[in-house]
Amino acid sequence: MNGRAVAEGGSPDPRTPGAGATAPPPITEIETYGVERIPAHDRTARPLDLFRVSFGGANTFATCVLGAFPILFGLSFWQGLGATVAGLLVGALILAPLALFGPLNGTNNAVSSSAHLGVHGRVVGSFLSLLTAIAFFSISVWSSGDALVGGAARLVGLPANGFSHAAAYAVFAALVLIVCVYGFRFMLFVNKIAVAAASLLFVLGVFAFAGDFDASYPGTFASTADPLFLPSFIGAALIVLSNPVSFGAFLGDWSRYIPAATPRHRVMGAAFLAQAATILPFGFGLVTASIIAAKAAPYLDPAAPNYVGGLLAVSPGWYFLPVCLIALIGGMSTGTTSLYGTGLDLSSVFPRFSRVQATVLIGALSIVFIFLGRFALNLTQSISTFATLIITCTAPWMVIMTLGYLTRRGWYDPEALQVFNRRQRGGRYWFTHGWNWRGVAAWAVSAAPAIAFTNIPGQFVGPLGGLAGGVDISLPLGLGTAAVLYLLLLAVFPEPRAVFGPRGPRLVRAADTPVPPIIGPGGTGAEHPARV
C-alpha cells in the first residue's frame, strides 16, 4: 500500500501496481459496477486483456463483411488491399490514445469526456456509444445469422427462408444479451476463446481458397484515371476505418479494469496492435470477395449484394462448418463488445435503470432495428450509412478527447467526473451549467459539415458531397476542423486554471475563473483530485 495515502486516511494509490489487488470474481458472477470509478483492488486486467477484447471484438465475420466492401466498390485486389491497410493504420492511430482514459480515471470514456465537454456535455459520448452499439451489434447479428442459416442449409438442408433467418437473429441476439448481462469478466472469457478460435478458422481459409484465389483480380476500373476510382478508393478506406474508430467510445469500458500505474505506451500499444491485427479478417473478406466477384458475380451485385451467400457458394464443402463456427464465435464477440458498453453508459444517463436493465433495453431496441434493416430496408445501405455516421461523428469527438488529454497533461479529477452520475452540481468540470461549450461547439461544428460532405458512391451522399469532385473529404474535414477549432477556442476562451492541475496547461493558457464546489446528493463540497 501507499503509506502516505493510508496515513492521510485515504485509499491506496491506484497508481501503485497491485495496490490492494484481490483475485478476480468468477466469470458467472453478474457484474455490479456501473460507471463509478473502479476501485484499485478490482483492477486486475492487463494490456493483454485489452488486446484480447479489442481484437476479439473485431476478429469476426462482421469484419469480413466490411472487408468485402473494396471489391464491392469496384477496386482490384491490390487496390482494395491498399485501401484496407490505409484505413486500418489511420484508424488505429486515431483510436490508440482513447485507451488511456480508462486506467487513468477508472471509468468509461463517455464519463471521462466530462472533463472536455462538461458533466452534461458528456451525453455526446453516450449518444455516439449508442449509435455505434446499434450499428455493430446489428452487423454482427445480420452477418452471423445469415452465415449460420446458409451453412445449415448446405449441411443439413435447413430451408433458407425469412422464418429461419428471423429465428437465427433472435437466438443469436439473445445469446449476446446473456453474456452482456453477466458483464466484463464473462465477456473477457468469451473473447479469449474467440481470438484463438476465429484466428485458427480464418487460417484454415488459406487452404480452403488457395486454389481459387487470383491476386490479379482487376476490379471494374480500367484505369486509376477513371473519375470514379478515387471516390471509390477513399470510400472503401473509410468503411475499413470505421471499424477501429467505432471502438473509440468503448475502449474505456474495458481499460478501466487496468491498474492506473500501467505504462501508457503498453496500453496504447495494445489498442493499436489489436486493430492492426484485424488485417486477418479484413484480408479474409477481401480475398473471398475477389473470388466471389470472379466466380459468382451475381452475389456482389451492388443493387443487392449477398456476401454471405457468395462465400458459401465458392467454399468447399468441408469449409461450411468452419464458416458457421466463425459466424457463431466471432459474432458473439462483436455483439458483446458493442452492446456491453452502451448498457453500462445508459445506466448512468438514466439512473432509474441498473446496468443490467439498461443493457436489456438497448438490446431490445437493437433487435427491432435488426429486423427492420434486414426485412424492410436495404441492408448494404444500412451498414454503409451507419458506418459513415460513426466516422463523421465519432472521429472529431476522439480528436477533442486526445487534444484535451494533451492540454491537461493527462491530469484529471476522478471525483468531479462523477458529478453527473451522482446527480450533483459543481466541480472542476461544471463549466457553464454543466456544459463546456468549447468542446461541444468544436464537435458539432466539425461533425455537421463532415456529414454534409460525405460521398460514398452508390451508398450515401451528403447534401454537399458533390462539391469536391466526387471525392469523400468527410474524414479529413472533420478531423482537421475539430483540431483547429478546439485549440482556437481554448486559446481565445481559456478554461479555468483548476481543470489543469498543479503543472498547469500545455499549448494553451488558463483563466483564473473560480470553480464551484461539488454539492448535491452525497456531495461534500470538496474535491479530491488524482495526480498523475
Side-chain angles (χ1 to χ4, degrees):
M1 286 190 172
N2 181 283
R4 183 171 181 269
V6 173
E8 295 178 353
S11 60
D13 186 351
R15 289 163 178 76
T16 302
T22 59
I27 63 171
T28 54
E29 179 180 313
I30 294 180
E31 181 184 9
T32 58
Y33 285 122
V35 293
E36 68 269 23
R37 194 180 190 201
I38 303 298
H41 60 79
D42 278 334
R43 297 205 198 181
T44 56
R46 300 168 295 167
L48 178 60
D49 294 320
L50 177 62
F51 174 90
R52 284 171 174 162
V53 174
S54 300
F55 179 45
N59 190 36
T60 67
F61 204 77
T63 305
C64 297
V65 174
L66 295 179
F69 270 79
I71 301 299
L72 184 63
F73 282 4
L75 302 181
S76 71
F77 170 77
W78 290 111
Q79 292 165 350
L81 182 61
T84 299
V85 171
L88 271 183
L89 291 181
V90 173
L93 287 171
I94 296 173
L95 174 70
L98 274 293
L100 296 174
F101 294 93
L104 182 61
N105 297 320
T107 188
N108 70 346
N109 281 357
V111 173
S112 291
S113 72
S114 300
H116 307 298
L117 282 79
V119 296
H120 291 160
R122 55 144 288 191
V123 297
V124 171
S126 300
F127 163 75
L128 296 174
S129 174
L130 176 63
L131 179 69
T132 304
I134 292 176
F136 280 82
F137 177 54
S138 301
I139 292 172
S140 69
V141 173
W142 281 328
S143 57
S144 298
D146 287 350
L148 286 172
V149 171
R154 298 288 294 269
L155 286 171
V156 298
L158 176 73
N161 52 32
F163 177 79
S164 59
H165 280 89
Y169 298 154
V171 171
F172 196 81
L175 290 174
V176 171
L177 267 175
I178 291 171
V179 174
C180 291
V181 165
Y182 274 101
F184 176 75
R185 301 294 172 189
F186 202 164
M187 185 175 67
L188 183 58
F189 172 73
V190 169
N191 278 275
K192 285 180 180 179
I193 298 174
V195 166
S199 297
L200 176 60
L201 294 170
F202 282 133
V203 171
L204 281 178
V206 174
F207 301 97
F209 299 107
D212 295 323
F213 173 59
D214 182 3
S216 62
Y217 170 73
T220 60
F221 297 108
S223 166
T224 54
D226 189 303
L228 289 179
F229 169 74
L230 188 58
S232 297
F233 183 91
I234 295 176
L238 290 176
I239 291 292
V240 174
L241 187 146
S242 71
N243 206 54
V245 167
S246 71
F247 284 85
F250 296 119
L251 276 187
D253 302 339
W254 318 316
S255 63
R256 66 195 179 119
Y257 279 96
I258 297 175
T262 306
R264 299 179 190 182
H265 70 275
R266 291 184 58 200
V267 178
M268 291 181 61
F272 179 87
L273 292 176
Q275 297 305 318
T278 60
I279 190 65
L280 179 61
F282 271 112
F284 181 91
L286 181 67
V287 167
T288 52
S290 68
I291 296 173
I292 295 168
K295 298 183 63 177
Y299 285 100
L300 291 187
D301 180 358
N306 182 6
Y307 168 75
V308 173
L311 177 64
L312 293 171
V314 300
S315 296
W318 65 267
Y319 198 63
F320 290 162
L321 181 58
V323 167
C324 291
L325 290 175
I326 289 174
L328 179 62
I329 297 172
M332 286 285 291
S333 184
T334 296
T336 54
T337 53
S338 298
L339 190 59
Y340 167 80
T342 301
L344 176 72
D345 194 55
L346 189 69
S347 65
S348 68
V349 177
F350 300 100
R352 68 177 61 186
F353 296 117
S354 67
R355 184 193 66 82
V356 173
Q357 291 171 329
T359 299
V360 172
L361 175 61
I362 293 298
L365 292 175
S366 299
I367 290 172
V368 172
F369 179 77
I370 287 167
F371 280 86
L372 285 175
R374 178 61 174 81
F375 297 109
L377 304 174
N378 183 300
L379 182 59
T380 300
Q381 286 190 348
S382 298
I383 293 174
S384 179
T385 299
F386 266 93
T388 299
L389 291 175
I390 287 168
I391 294 172
T392 53
C393 293
T394 305
W397 179 82
M398 295 167 69
V399 168
I400 291 168
M401 290 284 286
T402 301
L403 290 177
Y405 181 95
L406 289 174
T407 59
R408 305 285 178 83
R409 301 181 186 271
W411 189 95
Y412 294 89
D413 180 348
E415 291 298 314
L417 291 174
Q418 297 289 335
V419 164
F420 181 91
N421 310 326
R422 297 170 179 169
R423 295 304 178 260
Q424 299 171 329
R425 300 177 60 189
R428 299 174 191 271
Y429 308 129
W430 185 248
F431 297 104
T432 305
H433 304 293
W435 297 85
N436 186 352
W437 64 269
R438 305 162 187 82
V440 174
W443 171 77
V445 173
S446 303
I451 293 175
F453 276 90
T454 298
N455 189 331
I456 301 179
Q459 305 296 325
F460 178 83
V461 179
L464 303 179
L467 295 184
V471 176
D472 190 326
I473 62 171
S474 59
L475 179 65
L477 180 64
L479 294 174
T481 303
V484 173
L485 182 59
Y486 182 54
L487 290 177
L488 179 63
L489 289 174
L490 292 181
V492 177
F493 305 98
E495 295 176 321
R497 190 173 303 279
V499 305
F500 294 101
R503 297 174 61 193
R506 176 193 286 136
L507 302 177
V508 297
R509 59 196 181 94
D512 293 320
T513 305
V515 172
I518 296 176
I519 58 175
T524 62
E527 298 178 81
H528 307 283
R531 291 171 174 77
V532 182

